[in-house]
Amino acid sequence: LAPLILIFATIGAYALHQNIMDVVAAFMLAILGYGAKHLGYNRAAIILGFVLGSLAEKYFLISINAYGLAFITRPINYLLIAIMIATIMYEVIRKNRHGKK
């Protein structure tokens, strides 16, 4: 099954724009995905970051242009920042506890 998937993925990458660099990019991303799997990274989070990163940056800049730096100092943003920090700290503490056992 894997050889068929590899063949169809290669054909699909080339067929989109008839450019060999698309095939090279597909293989480079495959290597990145294999490396992420081997090192234990969450591949879905990496893909989500690639897809949504540019949109998040775009709309963040629109918000900053519309409201200035006051956009960052609104109460809901403090709550979201606190939730992000708490989530990161929870993961760090959890990993440190499992590492010490």
Side-chain angles (χ1 to χ4, degrees):
L1 188 60
L4 284 174
I5 292 172
L6 184 62
I7 290 169
F8 287 128
T10 304
I11 291 170
Y14 182 75
L16 186 62
H17 294 110
Q18 287 82 33
N19 187 355
I20 195 69
M21 291 309 294
D22 289 342
V23 176
V24 172
F27 279 114
M28 295 301 286
L29 288 172
I31 291 169
L32 178 72
Y34 178 77
K37 179 181 179 182
H38 182 69
L39 295 173
Y41 288 103
N42 187 349
R43 294 174 312 251
I46 293 171
I47 292 169
L48 195 61
F50 276 126
V51 171
L52 296 180
S54 62
L55 289 174
E57 182 179 3
K58 174 184 171 185
Y59 289 112
F60 177 72
L61 291 176
I62 289 172
S63 298
I64 291 295
N65 287 334
Y67 299 107
L69 291 178
F71 167 73
I72 297 173
T73 60
R74 295 185 183 234
I76 190 72
N77 291 332
Y78 287 139
L79 177 66
L80 293 174
I81 291 169
I83 290 171
M84 286 188 292
I85 291 172
T87 302
I88 292 170
M89 292 305 297
Y90 172 76
E91 286 298 318
V92 168
I93 291 169
R94 188 175 66 90
K95 286 191 180 210
N96 283 338
R97 284 188 182 167
H98 287 300
K100 290 180 181 178
K101 288 184 180 181

